[in-house]
Amino acid sequence: MKSSEETDDLIYETCLIGQDITSIHELTLSPNVHTLNLHSNVISRLEGLDVLHNLIHLDLSSNRLGKITGLGTLILLRTLNLSCNGISEIQGLHSLRNLTCFNLSYNCIDNVSGLKELHGPGFRLRQLELQGNRIRSLPQLIECTIGLRSLEVLVLSHNGKDNPVCRSEHYRSLYLQSVPQLIALDGFDREGSKYSP
């Protein structure tokens, strides 16, 4: 049921995929955990993470989350996967200064204004995945991502799953022109070649 990597009785990795877990509160988690994988469970609320001060990687993909909350104490978090949930609004990110990779693909997001919480020189977000959502407004997308100073890779369309904004005329060229720090959009670099990090 539980897969962990242990060293000197300290649990650094906890993997509980597909265990029908309904709440993080029902778990006994070591404060030393660096990686927590709760993919494909039935968790509907982001709570019970406040003791995980050393958490670096968190995967809550394919659950039943509707909101982003309870991340305020995860200041070391580098990767966050919240894909394949029912999230409709981006919020609660202001303390995630070390976050470098954020996957919000396949949710119900149509407004990305919550990304402004990650604006400024103190934030490190480099890769953002948003394919399979409901984002329509190119001006809002530009406004909310231009301040992500470290952003290099943005995915709004992948394998036929996109956002309505991707179907706008000149979407790619207008976005790349407006957000100069970006290296790759939808898997292709600025020259149109396949991007591989």
Side-chain angles (χ1 to χ4, degrees):
M1 177 176 167
K2 180 173 161 180
S3 169
S4 300
E5 182 182 298
E6 298 185 28
T7 306
D8 299 330
D9 296 325
L10 301 175
I11 299 173
Y12 291 108
E13 182 175 331
T14 301
C15 184
L16 297 165
I17 297 173
Q19 300 294 315
D20 290 325
I21 296 165
T22 58
S23 171
I24 298 170
H25 280 301
E26 66 187 64
L27 305 174
T28 304
L29 297 169
S30 165
N32 299 309
V33 167
H34 290 178
T35 301
L36 178 59
N37 189 339
L38 296 171
H39 168 75
S40 194
N41 281 287
V42 288
I43 298 167
S44 60
R45 298 178 75 176
L46 261 174
E47 55 189 12
L49 297 168
D50 49 331
V51 298
L52 303 178
H53 302 290
N54 296 306
L55 197 62
I56 295 172
H57 309 286
L58 177 59
D59 187 337
L60 280 158
S61 58
S62 298
N63 274 278
R64 295 183 181 169
L65 298 173
K67 293 176 99 175
I68 303 172
T69 58
L71 301 175
T73 60
L74 304 181
I75 60 172
L76 298 178
L77 198 65
R78 286 190 216 144
T79 63
L80 177 58
N81 188 346
L82 298 178
S83 64
C84 303
N85 277 285
I87 298 167
S88 59
E89 183 180 355
I90 300 172
Q91 61 188 20
L93 307 176
H94 60 275
S95 64
L96 302 181
R97 293 187 164 280
N98 291 302
L99 189 66
T100 58
C101 297
F102 191 15
N103 189 340
L104 274 170
S105 58
Y106 309 106
N107 276 287
C108 306
I109 297 164
D110 60 4
N111 183 323
V112 293
S113 60
L115 290 173
K116 289 182 179 179
E117 294 181 32
L118 300 175
H119 281 197
F123 292 90
R124 299 183 175 151
L125 185 63
R126 286 191 341 255
Q127 181 173 330
L128 178 60
E129 295 181 50
L130 290 167
Q131 70 269 23
N133 278 288
R134 301 173 182 168
I135 302 163
R136 295 185 182 287
S137 172
L138 183 58
Q140 186 203 52
L141 179 64
I142 291 169
E143 176 190 345
C144 297
T145 55
I146 197 167
L148 301 173
R149 295 185 181 185
S150 299
L151 188 65
E152 297 176 350
V153 178
L154 176 63
V155 182
L156 292 162
S157 177
H158 182 71
N159 289 338
K161 300 294 182 185
D162 64 7
N163 286 271
V165 71
C166 301
R167 294 172 229 133
S168 303
E169 190 173 358
H170 307 296
Y171 139 76
R172 180 177 168 77
S173 61
L174 288 171
Y175 186 83
L176 289 173
Q177 184 179 20
S178 302
V179 185
Q181 72 270 29
L182 204 72
I183 294 172
L185 177 61
D186 300 334
F188 295 91
D189 65 20
R190 288 184 167 271
E191 288 73 41
S193 299
K194 188 86 172 151
Y195 176 75
S196 52

